[in-house]
Amino acid sequence: MNTPSTLDEPTTPSFSPLYQQIKTLILQSLQAGEWKPGEPIPSEMDLAVRYRVSQGTVRKAIDELAAENLVVRRQGKGTFVATHAEQHVQYRFLKLVPDAGDPNTEGPAERTIVDCKRLRASADVARALSLRTGDAVLQVRRVLAYAGVPTILEDLWLPGAPFKGLTADRLRAWPGPMYAMFETEFGVRMVRAEEKIRAVLPDAEQAQLLDVPLQMPLLSVERVAHTYHDMPMELRRGLYRTDTHHYRNQLG
């Protein structure tokens, strides 16, 4: 069943179930950009022929990819590469929702790019992004406002090489979600994230940008977002006002 062009490649796990090997091969094609975000992937039958396995094995691999939000099944149309440009995906990593309603009724945030600069990674940023201290990174600061009220202050650090050419002007000109820009303009798709949450008090600059008193507690959310194969591609530290919004996470 194994052929040099499919299951014997060095990057394929040697001791994993067959469907997991097929999943890895599909992930390799996704990472390589063989199928772009929003585009259909080959049918289960075509993939079964390609990898010389049963259609059931391919289906099980795609089931896992769909459960991980890497692909989306559409009844009667096929399976498509998931994209952050889709409405239901845009809020996948945004957990702050209004006390009344939801993100869909509230509408998109008003975004203000405060800064976008290239600098050398500090030790903690380098560690989070699996870089060396001193490697080039981009730091972005932005404020998200709802109904004219600044609600989220975010600082992002991105590895310099994959995001070469990213500027404040490009960020301001992009009409959609930032993650959609990353996948469309730079070929980087965030597929999962880990977060740490704690309550903090803002410093003077943070309080000014969010228009809150220094004594007002804020929700601090530190996120590391990964692309395919668990490669960290973004460190994001956000400060959230919770006087009109709350952090919601669905479990199970």
Side-chain angles (χ1 to χ4, degrees):
M1 183 173 292
N2 292 5
T3 66
S5 61
T6 56
L7 303 183
D8 284 339
E9 295 181 6
T11 54
T12 303
S14 300
F15 303 102
S16 60
L18 186 54
Y19 79 91
Q20 287 282 356
Q21 297 183 43
I22 300 305
K23 176 185 174 183
T24 298
L25 292 171
I26 295 173
L27 276 172
Q28 289 173 2
S29 292
L30 290 171
Q31 185 178 31
E34 181 177 346
W35 312 304
K36 305 294 185 185
E39 293 181 352
I41 69 172
S43 68
E44 292 177 0
M45 184 177 299
D46 289 341
L47 289 172
V49 172
R50 172 174 175 167
Y51 298 126
R52 300 187 182 184
V53 296
S54 71
Q55 194 170 338
T57 298
V58 171
R59 182 177 299 114
K60 194 168 183 181
I62 293 178
D63 283 343
E64 285 207 354
L65 293 170
E68 295 168 9
N69 297 300
L70 299 179
V71 298
V72 177
R73 283 195 168 102
R74 294 177 184 162
Q75 189 68 33
K77 295 183 178 180
T79 302
F80 294 74
V81 182
T83 170
H84 288 283
E86 293 182 17
Q87 185 70 21
H88 73 281
V89 179
Q90 290 180 13
Y91 300 107
R92 180 181 165 207
F93 293 124
L94 179 59
K95 303 297 185 180
L96 197 72
V97 297
D99 291 338
D102 58 52
N104 294 299
T105 59
E106 186 174 48
E110 307 157 34
R111 296 165 297 179
T112 300
I113 304 298
V114 179
D115 201 5
C116 178
K117 57 188 177 183
R118 194 174 183 89
L119 43 77
R120 298 294 177 183
S122 62
D124 61 326
V125 170
R127 184 165 49 251
L129 295 177
S130 296
L131 301 172
R132 295 188 300 264
T133 300
D135 280 355
V137 293
L138 286 166
Q139 182 181 0
V140 178
R141 170 168 277 194
R142 70 174 186 170
V143 176
L144 304 181
Y146 294 95
V149 179
T151 305
I152 303 173
L153 170 63
E154 291 183 323
D155 286 298
L156 296 76
W157 290 266
L158 307 164
F163 293 96
K164 184 178 180 180
L166 181 64
T167 64
D169 286 341
R170 288 184 71 176
L171 286 166
R172 293 185 184 108
W174 183 259
M178 185 177 285
Y179 281 174
M181 178 189 190
F182 290 169
E183 71 179 28
T184 302
E185 300 288 304
F186 299 95
V188 175
R189 182 168 189 276
M190 306 302 184
V191 299
R192 75 171 190 89
E194 299 171 350
E195 291 185 336
K196 298 178 182 177
I197 303 174
R198 58 171 59 91
V200 301
L201 293 175
D203 61 29
E205 184 178 5
Q206 293 166 342
Q208 182 180 15
L209 287 168
L210 285 175
D211 192 24
V212 296
L214 288 169
Q215 299 78 20
M216 180 174 178
L218 300 173
L219 195 64
S220 169
V221 180
E222 180 175 301
R223 174 197 304 167
V224 177
H226 300 74
T227 186
Y228 300 112
H229 300 295
D230 272 345
M231 185 182 301
M233 293 297 283
E234 178 202 60
L235 169 63
R236 182 180 300 218
R237 291 172 178 159
L239 292 179
Y240 293 30
R241 288 179 57 164
T242 58
D243 47 342
T244 58
H245 290 68
H246 63 274
Y247 191 93
R248 183 177 66 193
N249 197 10
Q250 292 180 308
L251 305 177

